Amino acid sequence: MKRMNIVDRFISYTKINTTTNREKGAAGIMPSSEGQRVLAKQLVQELEGLGLQDIKLRDTAIVTATLPSNLDYDVPTVAFFGHLDTSAEQTNDTKAQILPYTGEDICMNKELNIYLRKSEFPELENYLGDDIIVTDGTSLLGADDKAAIASIMDMLQYFKQNPEIKHGTIKVGFVPDEEQGLRGAKVFDVQEFGADFAYTLDCCGIGELVYENWNAGDVEIVFTGKSAHPMSAKGKLVNSLLMAQKFIAMLPGGEAPEYTENREGYYWVKQMSGNSARTVLKMDVRDFTEEGYRSRMAFLKKLASHCEDLWGPESVTCTLADRYSNVYNSLQGENRYPIDIAHAAYQACGITPKVIPMRGGYDGAALSQNGLPCPNIFTGAHNFHSIYEYLPVKSLYAASDVLKQVVQITAERFKPGANA
């Protein structure tokens, strides 16, 4: 079996355009882009070449596979997840290149004068002397999340080529359309999959470790006014656009994305459309605590009710929906061990864990909510969703090394008599 270099593997994945398609996703099509299916099929071929078992490719482009245990005792089954799609901010094909970082600004595209400047991205100094993978500045790199896929595949290759290294059962899952509200993870059949705990790789620089994210909700508020011709509108016209504006003005000042950070929650006025007769307002609600999240959702419901009392029956309707919950809710008590194993794996690799709350969602939130506890490990990349996305080569190797340690630590930690 020929060993494939992790960098070559990653770059081969970037050559497949897997940009998520928001229009098709909104129409319920999964995967939303054909490139995701192409990548899924390539992964199936690679998994077959590695000799994995129970390989499945579903109509949704979800891929799963199993590397059986070589232990003579039982340990919990660990799984690793990456997502197939890249964000829709840029749709061009990726032209990845590997450039050395010598301390100067990195020229990504001389003709278009596109540079990765250390004045804008000072964390580059941490990678002095390293090789950096970037694009030509006309697309995303797609390390979100193809660096994860490359790391997972490299980890599998390592254990297949070193059968003397003991490990429990390892499962892998690759899912579509994470960039559209975790669509693939939400339909993933956790029970059929059969893992006991899991990790996604979907955060940034080396050392980052996430096991806390938003409780997230969607809100739609419909304002119904009364139409009238402006020549005779006095006392008759009720402008729904102005109703929506007044509603927005009554939201708590300063509790919006542009004013908040760390664990501060917010209301995000995301979209407003309509006319004087009917206006639809869409909002996102985010809070790290369950209590805070429920309080925010209840506040909007109450505010809508008060506005309806003011403007008349059926003038305001409010629909609330939960999107995903904080993964931390699923990692308490006896389910905390995936966090402890991750910390131990980082330390075994000489990496100091940088525990951060994620002001967003990731597939692990949906998987955890469905019964599969799932913290989030770094990919090593920076500047997700930007043409300035970059991936230090040593960080890519480090991500794979952490996965290898997770597997080996699990085998040792649950060995009979290990805790005696």
Side-chain angles (χ1 to χ4, degrees):
M1 179 172 53
K2 183 179 179 182
R3 177 176 175 84
M4 189 174 185
N5 179 281
I6 189 172
V7 175
D8 293 338
R9 189 185 291 279
F10 167 70
I11 290 178
S12 76
Y13 299 153
T14 68
K15 293 178 180 179
I16 303 172
N17 190 325
T18 62
T19 305
T20 197
N21 186 306
R22 288 172 176 163
E23 290 73 23
K24 290 185 177 180
I29 299 171
M30 187 184 301
S32 66
S33 57
E34 188 58 28
Q36 294 183 70
R37 194 181 305 279
V38 172
L39 178 55
K41 290 180 179 179
Q42 177 171 320
L43 292 174
V44 166
Q45 292 177 350
E46 293 181 16
L47 291 165
E48 290 173 344
L50 288 172
L52 265 72
Q53 297 182 11
D54 196 26
I55 302 169
K56 295 180 181 178
L57 171 60
R58 294 154 183 83
D59 292 341
T60 56
I62 291 175
V63 176
T64 56
T66 302
L67 179 60
S69 171
N70 62 6
L71 300 173
D72 57 5
Y73 56 91
D74 292 332
V75 300
T77 296
V78 61
F80 301 98
F81 285 85
H83 62 84
L84 301 167
D85 61 323
T86 58
S87 184
E89 273 79 6
Q90 299 284 334
T91 61
N92 293 334
D93 291 341
T94 299
K95 298 179 178 63
Q97 53 184 328
I98 305 173
L99 301 173
Y101 182 59
T102 60
E104 304 299 321
D105 295 339
I106 297 176
C107 180
M108 300 167 64
N109 193 315
K110 188 172 183 180
E111 291 183 0
L112 298 178
N113 195 36
I114 300 174
Y115 284 79
L116 191 61
R117 300 188 185 280
K118 60 181 181 179
S119 60
E120 297 178 46
F121 307 106
E123 71 279 359
L124 275 170
E125 292 293 338
N126 297 328
Y127 307 110
L128 186 64
D130 197 359
D131 287 333
I132 307 287
I133 308 174
V134 296
T135 71
D136 66 349
T138 64
S139 72
L140 308 182
L141 177 60
D144 175 17
D145 202 27
K146 290 168 182 171
I149 299 173
S151 295
I152 293 168
M153 297 298 289
D154 185 73
M155 175 271 299
L156 293 173
Q157 178 175 264
Y158 172 80
F159 286 113
K160 287 297 294 184
Q161 292 190 324
N162 297 278
E164 73 281 2
I165 298 177
K166 298 301 182 181
H167 61 82
T169 299
I170 305 167
K171 290 181 176 285
V172 296
F174 303 111
V175 297
D177 293 319
E178 187 270 351
E179 301 290 359
Q180 295 194 65
L182 322 182
R183 294 181 66 228
K186 285 181 177 179
V187 302
F188 189 88
D189 192 333
V190 167
Q191 296 303 315
E192 179 193 27
F193 191 49
D196 294 300
F197 69 111
Y199 300 91
T200 54
L201 286 80
D202 202 8
C203 54
C204 298
I206 184 171
E208 288 190 3
L209 176 60
V210 172
Y211 42 84
E212 187 178 2
N213 66 283
W214 292 127
N215 294 289
D218 301 324
V219 180
E220 181 178 279
I221 305 172
V222 179
F223 301 89
T224 303
K226 295 180 181 179
S227 297
H229 195 286
M231 76 171 74
S232 56
K234 186 174 182 179
K236 300 176 183 177
L237 175 65
V238 180
N239 192 328
S240 70
L241 289 165
L242 297 181
M243 293 163 67
Q245 290 178 356
K246 290 174 182 177
F247 183 93
I248 293 169
M250 287 185 277
L251 297 175
E255 296 186 24
E258 61 268 36
Y259 303 121
T260 55
E261 61 183 352
N262 299 322
R263 288 181 171 81
E264 297 172 335
Y266 59 68
Y267 305 89
W268 185 10
V269 177
K270 197 170 184 180
Q271 181 180 340
M272 188 169 72
S273 60
N275 51 38
S276 62
R278 184 178 185 273
T279 297
V280 178
L281 176 66
K282 294 186 177 182
M283 300 176 59
D284 285 354
V285 171
R286 301 288 186 267
D287 204 286
F288 277 97
T289 69
E290 185 72 17
E291 180 183 1
Y293 170 69
R294 294 300 172 196
S295 177
R296 290 181 185 279
M297 296 290 267
F299 168 77
L300 292 177
K301 192 74 171 179
K302 188 174 183 179
L303 180 59
S305 178
H306 286 329
C307 288
E308 185 182 26
D309 291 341
L310 178 64
W311 294 325
E314 301 182 357
S315 59
V316 184
T317 60
C318 179
T319 303
L320 308 177
D322 299 329
R323 181 178 291 186
Y324 52 80
S325 65
N326 190 340
V327 68
Y328 191 69
N329 303 336
S330 303
L331 290 165
Q332 301 300 302
E334 64 180 13
N335 285 335
R336 184 186 163 81
Y337 70 91
I339 296 176
D340 298 333
I341 289 174
H343 276 276
Y346 280 48
Q347 291 162 359
C349 293
I351 299 170
T352 301
K354 301 174 185 176
V355 179
I356 59 171
M358 177 177 278
R359 289 176 64 84
Y362 68 97
D363 282 331
L367 296 168
S368 296
Q369 196 168 352
N370 289 332
L372 184 58
C374 191
N376 193 16
I377 292 172
F378 67 89
T379 61
H382 291 262
N383 302 333
F384 284 6
H385 297 197
S386 165
I387 61 169
Y388 299 107
E389 185 181 13
Y390 69 90
L391 175 62
V393 167
K394 290 180 181 178
S395 297
L396 178 60
Y397 277 100
S400 178
D401 289 343
V402 166
L403 304 192
K404 297 166 190 171
Q405 285 297 325
V406 164
V407 171
Q408 293 175 80
I409 289 169
T410 300
E412 287 297 319
R413 183 161 296 197
F414 291 93
K415 186 176 182 177
N419 297 319

